[in-house]
Amino acid sequence: MVGPSRPQFVLFGSSIVQLSFGNGGWGSSLSEIYSRRADVILRGYYGWNSRRAVRVLDDIFPKDASVQPSLVIVYFGGNDSMGPHSSGLGPHVPLPEYVENMKKIALHLKSLSKTLRIIFLSCPPVDEVRLLVHSAYFSELVRTNELCKKYSDACITLCKELDIKVVDLYSALQTISDWETACFTDGIHLSAEGSKIVVKEILKVLREATDWSPSLHWKSMPVEFAEDSPYDLVAADGKRTLNPSTWNFHWESQWD
């Protein structure tokens, strides 16, 4: 492990998490936003459902770890919500079990530290038209927005019961008129435009979480090695240096 130690933000979930550091993904955007403030750690597993996630909780989040994360962002639900396969194989998890699995994840994370914060991402919608193209490669592929909404609503309800912050991805991604084509690369996984919406919603939660102390919003967190230095670039007046520690003019998007 390298120093100095920073707060750890862990992204835990299925493919929408695993792919979040590519293609202008939301994970890479968070890593840029929190540069010199927190380390964004990826624990994403393509194709996973909540049933597989609960089996590895102790491996990914051991209770006896010397350092616990400051924030864990959790996403499972898209694969769970797929219709059941006649063979009994596949990622489908019945809705009551999905809710129970997500509850187990939440309670495990809460048990790690009194200061650990949690954000759940609910099941997003899909572009059903494009999914028909991909269905030729799979057997009995059933993934509809009707099912996605049921799992999204169930996740949101659970979060309210457990007092956990949640981002309603099902609604958030549909706030733009052409969401089906703009938000996804293949009808399921997020495009750069879709990821921007996810980042915006996560930052909104962090900004409005006034009951969290210390605040985990990027503007409120200390910047590592932010002191002025005579080795910084010299200003136009030739008499002083300019501290670049918090410069963000190079960002593709300017975040609140």
Side-chain angles (χ1 to χ4, degrees), residues 9-29:
F9 291 5
V10 181
L11 315 182
F12 178 45
S14 55
S15 55
I16 283 180
V17 173
Q18 179 175 329
L19 302 177
S20 69
F21 271 64
N23 195 41
W26 60 277
S28 61
S29 292

Side-chain angles (χ1 to χ4, degrees), residues 16 50 78 104 119 157 159 201 205 235:
I16 283 180
S50 63
K104 289 177 181 177
I119 300 175
T157 299
C159 288
E201 293 297 319
V205 170

Side-chain angles (χ1 to χ4, degrees), residues 113-138:
S113 167
K114 291 182 179 180
T115 59
L116 187 151
R117 309 305 182 186
I118 307 167
I119 300 175
F120 274 16
L121 309 180
S122 80
C123 184
V126 295
D127 179 1
E128 294 181 357
V129 174
R130 269 193 282 179
L131 281 184
L132 291 175
V133 176
H134 300 300
S135 64
Y137 298 96
F138 302 97

Side-chain angles (χ1 to χ4, degrees), residues 18 20 38 50 54 56 66 68 87 106 114 116-117 131 143 165-166 192 203 214 218 235 255:
Q18 179 175 329
S20 69
S50 63
V54 296
V56 299
S66 59
Q68 295 292 354
S87 67
K114 291 182 179 180
L116 187 151
R117 309 305 182 186
L131 281 184
R143 193 159 185 173
K165 311 293 186 186
V166 61
L203 292 180
W218 67 276
W255 305 104

Side-chain angles (χ1 to χ4, degrees), residues 3 6 17 40 48 61 68 76 89-90 100 110 113 123 131 138 149 152 154 157 161 172 177 181 192 204 221 232 237:
R6 299 174 180 173
V17 173
V40 180
W48 276 36
F61 301 104
Q68 295 292 354
F76 291 100
L89 301 172
E100 186 60 27
K110 282 191 170 190
S113 167
C123 184
L131 281 184
F138 302 97
K149 189 174 191 309
S152 176
T157 299
E161 293 174 357
S177 59
T181 53
K204 179 181 178 183
M221 297 181 69
D232 288 334
D237 61 12

Side-chain angles (χ1 to χ4, degrees), residues 51-254:
R51 188 179 291 164
R52 296 187 74 177
V54 296
R55 294 176 180 174
V56 299
L57 282 176
D58 288 321
D59 298 305
I60 298 176
F61 301 104
K63 291 188 177 183
D64 60 352
S66 59
V67 177
Q68 295 292 354
S70 296
L71 173 68
V72 180
I73 300 177
V74 180
Y75 167 71
F76 291 100
N79 296 313
D80 300 69
S81 72
M82 293 177 65
H85 193 276
S86 59
S87 67
L89 301 172
H92 170 72
V93 173
L95 186 58
E97 183 190 346
Y98 166 72
V99 173
E100 186 60 27
N101 290 340
M102 296 302 283
K103 183 177 181 179
K104 289 177 181 177
I105 293 171
L107 295 179
H108 180 85
L109 294 174
K110 282 191 170 190
S111 73
L112 299 179
S113 167
K114 291 182 179 180
T115 59
L116 187 151
R117 309 305 182 186
I118 307 167
I119 300 175
F120 274 16
L121 309 180
S122 80
C123 184
V126 295
D127 179 1
E128 294 181 357
V129 174
R130 269 193 282 179
L131 281 184
L132 291 175
V133 176
H134 300 300
S135 64
Y137 298 96
F138 302 97
S139 171
E140 302 177 31
L141 178 64
V142 179
R143 193 159 185 173
T144 67
N145 283 320
E146 180 181 2
L147 289 170
C148 290
K149 189 174 191 309
K150 287 181 179 179
Y151 282 69
S152 176
D153 289 346
C155 179
I156 293 169
T157 299
L158 175 67
C159 288
K160 290 179 180 178
E161 293 174 357
L162 298 179
D163 192 25
I164 289 176
K165 311 293 186 186
V166 61
V167 172
D168 179 359
L169 283 189
Y170 188 86
S171 299
L173 291 177
Q174 296 185 68
T175 55
I176 58 177
S177 59
D178 58 343
W179 65 269
E180 294 98 334
T181 53
C183 290
F184 304 105
T185 58
D186 55 5
I188 299 175
H189 301 107
L190 296 172
S191 64
E193 191 64 32
S195 282
K196 287 179 182 178
I197 295 174
V198 177
V199 174
K200 180 180 177 182
E201 293 297 319
I202 290 173
L203 292 180
K204 179 181 178 183
V205 170
L206 294 171
R207 185 174 63 252
E208 296 178 353
T210 56
D211 55 324
W212 286 2
S213 181
S215 171
L216 297 180
H217 187 260
W218 67 276
K219 289 184 178 179
S220 301
M221 297 181 69
V223 178
E224 189 175 277
F225 298 137
E227 66 276 3
D228 292 334
S229 170
Y231 305 118
D232 288 334
L233 294 172
V234 181
D237 61 12
K239 299 178 180 179
R240 58 192 174 91
T241 58
L242 299 175
N243 188 330
S245 300
T246 59
W247 288 356
N248 56 25
F249 60 83
H250 57 282
W251 290 358
E252 181 181 351
S253 300
Q254 295 299 312

